[in-house]
Amino acid sequence: MSYQVLARKWRPRIFREMVGQEHVLQALINALDHNRLHHAYLFTGTRGVGKTTIARILAKCLNCETGVSSEPCGKCGACTEIAEGRFVDLIEVDAASRTKVEDTRELLENVQYAPSRGRYKVYLIDEVHMLSTSSFNALLKTLEEPPPHVKFLLATTDPQKLPVTVLSRCLQFNLKNMNPERIVGHLAFVLEKELVPFEDAALWQLGRAADGSMRDALSLTDQAIAFGNGKVTEADVRAMLGTIDQQFVYAILQAMAKADGQAIFNAVNQLAEQAPDYQGALAELLSVLHRIAIAQALPDAIDNSFGDRDQVLDLAGQIPAEDIQLFYQTALLGRRDLPLAPDPRSGFDMVLLRMLAFKPQGVADLPKAALTAPAPGTPAAVTAAPTPATAVVTATAATAETSAAPAPNTVKAPEPAKPAAPAQAMAPAANSAAKATDANSSNINAAVANPAPAQPVSSAPSARAAVDSPPWDDEDQDASSLYADEDQGPEPVPSPQTPAASEPSPAPAAAVDRPIVETAMVEAPVAKAAPAAPTPSAVEVNKAPSPSPVAPANTPPVTAPSSAAPVQQNTIQPSHIQSSNVQLSSAQKVENEPADAAHSYHLVTLKPSDWLGLYLELKIGGVLQSTAANSQLVAVEGNCLRFVLDQANANLFDVGHQSRLADHLTAYFNEPVQVQISPGDLTAETPAATAVRLKAERAASALNSLQTDPLLQKLEREFQASLDINTVEPL
């Protein structure tokens, strides 16, 4: 008996033997079991995913002598003849070879006749997209209303070429490509049944080379068995497919992690001895870089299916994540440009040299390991985040004895890529809170709750001075001199001895608008008798810059840090942190109030002008928020509140909003309230209009601060730069 290839020998004969395509099988099985059969089915998908196989199994299910079901017996005459391809009532047509309209007319002449042996006459038209336009037109009417004994099964790899008139007359099923995991599992099952020894790594090579096609995978397996003399090994499969041994790729990446150019070219020379395809070499390099990036983000997601899990995790710990991204992008572009190189080897070498020459700019060298937490009872060092936008300070409360002692050693933050002025390097905590509030500009509650315009970092006196005279204005002074005295830092100010029972009081409230770096530099405990200055509100802080803090009489003078030296932060008390983070939005203040706090408004004294503040405290959400935000309180008549809704926003209004808003007000005032809402013309500003106005004012303030910034003016003057006002957004 002649040899039968694996793709034909192991073709599924029933639905249970199908690998994948569960979304198609479930629909067909349910239709067969419940006798809900359509007259025309269209199966689409790439080559080798099971279109014709499913069509033949469906023909068995329809004509099995035991009855129509999703489980054909496989033993009756109809099932046997369909499996052998000689069933008279299964007409298989290759549309690629019978494209003429005469062939289609000849085919349809016999549609009206009943089947000879089976229950249904099944027309299986493969590659149906190859039919001509005239053939489709001749098929349309019969395809729409065929005789009850006729079923059409169409298969195509290119459904876009089918007329919509044909698509609308068929039930369409789109078959998916097989993933490598499913292909490898099926190949292992087939080889075990065939008693062929194999290696898992070789099957993974075949699964990736099949590119989603199970038929291609079985055909490649046949070829690999013949190439390997009855066994499937990784080395034989790599030689057969012409792929690159990944050990060369790992050798290149190991040398790249150490920035060792000599080791890189030694690995490339060893790779060149194998006469590789350099396009394939770059593809293997991209595949390994992808696995390394996944390992850095989700280490548990890396399996050992390629046999390289340990090597991937090792490289993920050696190479920074930003370098991996740069290497991947460089290799991707190099693969595209490789045909333009004088020869493939030189193009491959230039890709590696480009990876070695460039590093991500403006990225701080982050520490490899996390900092350990300090032991209980010991003062913690201040850790300054490398990001210049915000400053996160962590501190523990210190006793009076430790506050009188010299400042402990601190952990210095990694140096930034470029030196910056201290006032610009770390923004005040108040401005960072304003950023968080303005991030959701579409939220009306947050926009109205923070009415003060966002002040730029340079609004503080010290910050403005740093902007007016940046350190790089002086041509005689090198920018690197800014960090000349980094190891020493500002000398700590000695603190006077205080009794053990005394506690350090908070820092003077006048210093809250200064940058955090200045507030957190020196800890000067004050005697308990010294009164603590009241903390100003967020609105008062934003209105005008605060004057320099005045130290009490029993406090030693505090020396400001030099603008030319980096700031080294000392241990600070929690009271300093509280005094620095004073800018809170009104919505945050309301959320932080205890549940039994008194409300700001009372029904007996409520006036129409109080509606904006009352709206903020109600915290209304959903569609009701749109109605309430665009309404004006016009009258308070006892327990009845009358509103006028803006006519332009009345399309979402519903009568039920009156009772829902009344429920919110009843819960707020703790007494029954009635609400009447009627669309009309407004005479005052609604909360929504207030939010829009405040946002416009903040945008204008931000644009004005940029246009008047001396550094920006210098850039425009010396480099002919221009400010794109469409990209300016308030903080």
Side-chain angles (χ1 to χ4, degrees), residues 580-665:
S580 300
N581 189 15
V582 298
Q583 184 171 353
L584 296 173
S585 66
S586 301
Q588 290 172 321
K589 290 182 179 179
V590 172
E591 292 175 358
N592 294 332
E593 287 181 358
D596 57 351
H599 293 305
S600 303
Y601 302 96
H602 302 279
L603 186 59
V604 293
T605 59
L606 187 66
K607 302 184 297 297
S609 58
D610 297 334
W611 169 234
L612 177 60
L614 177 60
Y615 166 80
L616 291 176
E617 295 194 9
L618 289 177
K619 301 178 185 177
I620 304 172
V623 181
L624 180 61
Q625 177 189 5
S626 176
T627 300
N630 290 280
S631 298
Q632 173 195 353
L633 179 60
V634 294
V636 180
E637 301 171 351
N639 285 9
C640 181
L641 276 64
R642 290 197 298 107
F643 292 87
V644 172
L645 176 62
D646 185 10
Q647 190 69 40
N649 296 277
N651 53 340
L652 296 179
F653 172 69
D654 185 79
V655 180
H657 291 177
Q658 297 182 141
S659 59
R660 292 176 57 191
L661 182 57
D663 293 340
H664 281 273
L665 293 170

Side-chain angles (χ1 to χ4, degrees), residues 270-290:
Q270 294 178 3
L271 176 64
E273 294 177 358
Q274 310 297 324
D277 175 17
Y278 289 99
Q279 283 276 5
L282 284 177
E284 291 290 336
L285 183 62
L286 287 167
S287 176
V288 175
L289 289 173
H290 168 258

Side-chain angles (χ1 to χ4, degrees), residues 149-435:
H149 59 268
V150 172
K151 301 293 180 184
F152 285 97
L153 306 180
L154 312 180
T156 178
T157 57
D158 195 358
Q160 288 80 11
K161 293 183 179 179
L162 268 66
V164 293
T165 51
V166 173
L167 295 176
S168 65
R169 288 167 166 82
C170 303
L171 286 185
Q172 183 174 351
F173 296 95
N174 185 21
L175 279 67
K176 301 177 182 178
N177 283 359
M178 305 286 182
N179 54 40
E181 291 81 1
R182 195 179 293 273
I183 293 177
V184 169
H186 186 62
L187 291 182
F189 169 78
V190 170
L191 292 178
E192 287 176 357
K193 295 293 184 180
E194 293 286 330
L195 302 179
V196 176
F198 62 90
E199 296 179 359
D200 289 338
L203 298 188
W204 280 100
Q205 292 290 329
L206 294 172
R208 292 199 301 272
D211 195 21
S213 172
M214 185 64 74
R215 182 175 60 214
D216 290 0
L218 290 169
S219 299
L220 289 173
T221 304
D222 254 333
Q223 184 180 353
I225 293 173
F227 187 90
N229 194 19
K231 58 183 178 180
V232 181
T233 62
E234 182 184 8
D236 291 340
V237 171
R238 286 190 181 277
M240 180 190 75
L241 297 177
T243 55
I244 306 299
D245 189 352
Q246 285 193 330
Q247 296 305 319
F248 295 114
V249 177
Y250 286 115
I252 292 174
L253 288 177
Q254 288 284 359
M256 196 74 67
K258 302 173 183 177
D260 188 349
Q262 184 62 43
I264 291 175
F265 277 92
N266 289 339
V268 174
N269 289 333
Q270 294 178 3
L271 176 64
E273 294 177 358
Q274 310 297 324
D277 175 17
Y278 289 99
Q279 283 276 5
L282 284 177
E284 291 290 336
L285 183 62
L286 287 167
S287 176
V288 175
L289 289 173
H290 168 258
R291 287 173 59 81
I292 294 174
I294 295 297
Q296 290 177 339
L298 298 170
D300 296 337
I302 298 298
D303 54 23
N304 199 31
S305 56
F306 296 89
D308 59 351
R309 186 175 189 274
D310 295 337
Q311 291 174 296
V312 169
L313 293 176
D314 181 50
L315 287 171
Q318 293 185 37
I319 308 177
E322 58 270 13
D323 285 354
I324 292 295
Q325 297 296 327
L326 180 64
F327 293 165
Y328 188 90
Q329 188 67 20
T330 304
L332 200 63
L333 296 177
R335 191 182 182 197
R336 182 196 66 184
D337 298 339
L338 195 61
L340 303 178
D343 59 274
R345 168 66 189 272
S346 63
F348 186 77
D349 290 344
M350 287 302 297
V351 172
L352 299 181
L353 287 174
R354 203 173 301 146
M355 293 180 183
L356 195 62
F358 294 100
K359 283 184 67 66
Q361 299 298 315
V363 179
D365 293 332
L366 302 179
K368 298 294 184 183
L371 299 178
T372 57
T378 59
V382 175
T383 303
T387 307
T390 59
V392 181
V393 180
T394 305
T396 58
T399 60
E401 290 81 7
T402 56
S403 63
N409 294 331
T410 59
V411 179
K412 295 185 292 185
E415 295 181 6
K418 294 184 180 180
Q424 294 172 338
M426 303 182 71
N431 286 336
S432 63
K435 289 181 182 179

